[in-house]
Amino acid sequence: NHALQGHTTYPLPQQVSLNEVLTQISQSQRETTELSEWIATEVEKIASHQTNQLTRLRKTVIGLCETDPWAMEQAKEKLDALESGKENLKQISEFIKRLTADFKLTVVSGSLDGTVRVSKENHSQMFEGHSDAVYSVVVSNSKEFIVSASDDRTLRVWNLVTGEQTQVLEGHSNLVFCVAISKDDTFLVSGSKDKTIRVWNLSTGEPTQVLKGHSGSVFSVAISSTGEFLVSGGLDKTIRVWNIASGEQTQALEGHSGSVRSVVVSSSDESLVSASEDKTIRVWNLSTGEQTQILEGHTGGVWSIAISSKGDFLVSGGVDNTARVW
């Protein structure tokens, strides 16, 4: 449904038609913000724009603006002006560049004050509904909604455009520390102080699995890109791998000497990275369960990690007040 999601870089000839560009868009894979920059550059090379090609361009550009009503209105005005001859392709290119800059500055956050905020360069929107601290937020891959996890034992689903609360997911018997969403936006996974992990069907709002195995709080969860398995880390110092369909625990990885605060899975599903109170970050082979690297440098517990889409570097944050790139 989103023509601009998941595109990759590829070489282009010096002279290209609009039709060639749009065909390549549909066949390639690259992230939305990267692709919009590419369109902005390459669209200036286009010499031909027949009616049917302009229709496809309209659909593609509007796809950039689906979660931003203001941008949607502006895009329609610009494209109407292009069709009437009042604006040219270079002006449309500049407009896309401005959209790209705006998208990059969108931040979603959760706070101890119980609110969720969506912040952009020039405005901020506050979502209220939780009765206690918000510990985790995640944005859907469609960019249409966000999910928050709270000390009030609930998860809440919010429309990212309107701020409307569309679902309240209840079931955990203690505070919810973490939440992750599947790549296809069909299900959620949450971890709690009640020592369980729950898998939720987003269509029904009901849990499909309750996974038990950790002997303490579950601080972090991550879902594989295929949606076949999930990984969890917790107070008991272990990392556990689960088959989502069956609910079976397939691996329990041990090595950390402190609680595991954050886990991430590489986009290839080959590696797992964990961060711990023991001040280390560890890399694991998911097929064998073997620990392949120990990254040391933080002088305090490591609470957060993120891995690049290519898997070539990661970023960590710790209680030593530093963020580190590896």
Side-chain angles (χ1 to χ4, degrees):
N1 295 329
H2 293 260
L4 301 179
Q5 288 188 353
H7 291 267
T8 53
T9 306
Y10 56 87
L12 283 173
Q14 290 300 312
Q15 298 297 324
V16 294
S17 69
L18 177 55
N19 187 59
E20 288 172 324
V21 171
L22 293 172
T23 299
Q24 290 282 16
I25 289 172
S26 67
Q27 295 174 345
S28 61
Q29 300 204 343
R30 172 186 274 237
E31 293 180 1
T32 301
T33 53
E34 292 179 275
L35 180 63
S36 60
E37 291 178 330
W38 174 81
I39 295 173
T41 301
E42 296 302 325
V43 78
E44 295 177 19
K45 301 177 182 179
I46 301 167
S48 169
H49 52 277
Q50 289 88 354
T51 302
N52 64 326
Q53 295 173 331
L54 284 173
T55 299
R56 295 174 67 191
L57 178 62
R58 174 182 289 273
K59 182 178 179 181
T60 302
V61 173
I62 288 178
L64 280 170
C65 314
E66 289 185 346
T67 60
D68 191 327
W70 177 87
M72 178 74 78
E73 182 180 350
Q74 294 293 308
K76 288 178 178 178
E77 289 180 4
K78 292 289 183 183
L79 291 164
D80 287 342
L82 176 64
E83 290 185 8
S84 65
K86 294 180 181 178
E87 291 200 17
N88 57 39
L89 287 170
K90 184 167 184 176
Q91 290 169 308
I92 297 296
S93 172
E94 292 300 318
F95 172 69
I96 294 172
K97 288 178 181 177
R98 291 196 298 274
L99 285 183
T100 301
D102 192 36
F103 291 157
K104 286 182 175 179
L105 292 171
T106 300
V107 177
V108 179
S109 58
S111 170
L112 291 175
D113 65 11
T115 67
V116 176
R117 290 178 184 264
V118 178
S119 304
K120 291 191 177 183
E121 183 178 20
N122 54 1
H123 68 276
S124 177
Q125 186 176 9
M126 183 169 66
F127 300 170
E128 297 181 284
H130 284 293
S131 61
D132 215 324
V134 177
Y135 289 120
S136 181
V137 291
V138 63
V139 181
S140 69
N141 293 290
S142 66
K143 310 298 187 293
E144 294 176 353
F145 62 91
I146 58 178
V147 184
S148 53
S150 171
D151 202 345
D152 66 9
R153 307 182 183 184
T154 70
L155 296 114
R156 295 174 190 252
V157 183
W158 313 80
N159 183 299
L160 186 54
V161 177
T162 65
E164 177 189 4
Q165 180 181 285
T166 58
Q167 285 180 292
V168 179
L169 309 182
E170 299 179 290
H172 283 294
S173 61
N174 212 319
L175 68 88
V176 188
F177 278 117
C178 53
V179 60
I181 190 168
S182 64
K183 190 173 182 179
D184 62 4
D185 292 342
T186 60
F187 67 91
L188 296 174
V189 174
S190 58
S192 169
K193 191 177 180 180
D194 66 12
K195 308 177 187 177
T196 71
I197 299 157
R198 290 179 182 251
V199 182
W200 306 82
N201 182 311
L202 267 173
S203 297
T204 64
E206 296 296 325
T208 58
Q209 297 277 5
V210 179
L211 310 180
K212 298 179 180 180
H214 282 284
S215 60
S217 298
V218 181
F219 290 136
S220 183
V221 288
I223 303 171
S224 68
S225 62
T226 61
E228 295 177 1
F229 64 88
L230 68 90
V231 177
S232 59
L235 184 64
D236 61 8
K237 308 175 187 178
T238 69
I239 301 147
R240 297 172 189 258
V241 183
W242 312 77
N243 181 294
I244 292 176
S246 67
E248 177 188 2
Q249 179 183 296
T250 58
Q251 294 185 72
L253 309 180
E254 298 181 357
H256 283 293
S257 60
S259 61
V260 179
R261 283 287 178 172
S262 185
V263 291
V264 292
V265 178
S266 67
S267 58
S268 65
D269 291 343
E270 295 177 354
S271 301
L272 158 70
V273 184
S274 57
S276 171
E277 289 280 8
D278 67 9
K279 307 178 188 178
T280 71
I281 300 162
R282 296 173 189 244
V283 183
W284 311 76
N285 182 304
L286 267 172
S287 296
T288 64
E290 179 187 0
Q291 181 178 284
T292 58
Q293 282 182 290
I294 300 176
L295 308 180
E296 297 178 293
H298 282 284
T299 57
V302 188
W303 277 41
S304 183
I305 46 174
I307 192 168
S308 69
S309 58
K310 295 180 180 179
D312 53 349
F313 70 91
L314 64 89
V315 181
S316 60
V319 297
D320 60 4
N321 304 333
T322 69
R324 298 174 187 246
V325 183
W326 308 80

